[in-house]
Amino acid sequence: GHDSSWQAWMWKRHAGFDAVTYTGTGNNSNSGPNSTSQTIRHNLGRVPEMIWVKCRSIGYNWYVYHSGQNGGTNPWNYYLQLNATDGEQESVAPYTNAMWNNTAPTSTQFSLGPGNDINDSGQTFVAYLFASVDGISKVGSYIGNGSASGPTITLGFAPRFILIKCSSVGGTNWFVYDTLRGLTSGNDARIYLDLTNSQTTSADDVDPTATGFQIVTTWDQLNGNNANYIYYAHA
């Protein structure tokens, strides 16, 4: 309701979002003859630029692929955790946590390594896939400059929802801003995906524009000099 203290964000399965379920086939070994990776088909019709994976049957972490990891260079060799403040972790064979099988996603499928957390044999999983759609959504990254006049990000639309995470530095949160709770040129309502904290409204972090947004804080969580930040925005 209008005065509710609860909020939900909902995506419609279409060109910019898809959800798929699958059963794991791996055995947590990427170096032996019994290692089992697998590919999962999806219906985006374009290459997913962000993927969230969660095991439904065991309490594993949320794992994230984002095209902006490692500054956009071979991002499928890295992962983040949606429920943690860790920076991106390298994830390449022959290690057991080669999450994305060192393979770029395509317009029809994405790849999984054999690690338990995203491909444990016989366990059930759900994956949420996001992609950029002109005028509707944008998956991207930016480099911080440490200045109160921070980076300006061009989306091609006025954002109603923004998700930001520093990928290159650990100890940084997943921040969500939206226009329903307050995303303005003044103080913004900030909430965290990785914490149970209530929202805070004591700082001006992001200024939306008609075509994107600008970072307006020197806080290293959002604008550390030369740090890499990934984002997802929706109109």
Side-chain angles (χ1 to χ4, degrees), residues 29-46:
S29 171
N30 205 24
S31 57
N34 296 321
S35 298
T36 307
S37 60
Q38 70 164 322
T39 55
I40 307 298
R41 297 192 65 82
H42 65 80
N43 297 297
L44 275 177
R46 60 187 68 201

Side-chain angles (χ1 to χ4, degrees), residues 113-232:
N116 280 349
D117 299 62
I118 62 168
N119 197 17
D120 192 357
S121 181
Q123 303 303 324
T124 56
F125 296 80
V126 60
Y128 303 108
L129 295 82
F130 303 81
S132 300
V133 179
D134 288 348
I136 296 175
S137 60
K138 177 68 174 177
V139 181
S141 63
Y142 65 87
I143 302 296
N145 62 16
S147 167
S149 180
T152 296
I153 290 84
T154 300
L155 304 172
F157 55 84
R160 291 189 296 158
F161 175 96
I162 304 172
L163 170 67
I164 301 174
K165 170 73 169 77
C166 182
S167 60
S168 60
V169 179
T172 53
N173 300 109
W174 293 83
F175 299 111
V176 171
Y177 305 86
D178 64 68
T179 52
L180 182 63
R181 291 179 302 110
L183 175 58
T184 69
S185 58
N187 286 2
D188 308 301
R190 179 201 316 140
I191 206 165
Y192 314 84
L193 291 190
D194 56 292
L195 297 174
T196 59
N197 299 32
S198 59
Q199 70 177 18
T200 61
T201 58
S202 58
D204 186 9
D205 300 331
V206 180
D207 283 358
T209 71
T211 57
F213 63 94
Q214 182 179 14
I215 305 299
V216 292
T217 178
T218 61
W219 192 25
D220 58 3
Q221 290 259 358
L222 294 165
N223 191 21
N225 192 35
N226 291 324
N228 189 65
Y229 298 82
I230 59 172
Y231 70 84
Y232 169 77

